Amino acid sequence: RAVRALPDDPEPRNNLAWLLLTQSRDLGKAERLAEEAVALAQDPAIKAACENTLASVRAARAAKSGG
């Protein structure tokens, strides 16, 4: 709901991406959300957090696929 309610706010996307990652659920969706969060983030600290989430999701996807 927060993602829809706050379409220009990267934090709900980042938080949902992290939640999906930590629960090992739908890493493809987690990656899309993290990419959107990075694109939306303007504050350097928030952008860094979003980039960290994105890197973590990508690492998890690579590990899961054996790459």
Side-chain angles (χ1 to χ4, degrees):
R1 289 183 193 159
V3 171
R4 283 180 293 210
L6 302 167
D8 297 326
D9 188 342
E11 292 183 86
R13 285 171 175 73
N14 189 60
N15 293 343
L16 182 53
W18 188 259
L19 180 66
L20 291 171
L21 170 65
T22 59
Q23 293 183 356
S24 298
R25 295 176 43 207
D26 201 345
L27 295 178
K29 181 175 182 178
E31 186 171 11
R32 284 190 307 278
L33 288 165
E35 288 171 343
E36 290 173 7
V38 169
L40 287 170
Q42 295 188 12
D43 179 273
I46 294 172
K47 189 170 195 83
C50 296
E51 288 171 340
N52 181 59
T53 299
L54 180 56
S56 297
V57 170
R58 287 181 172 162
R61 288 191 78 189
K64 192 171 185 177
S65 69

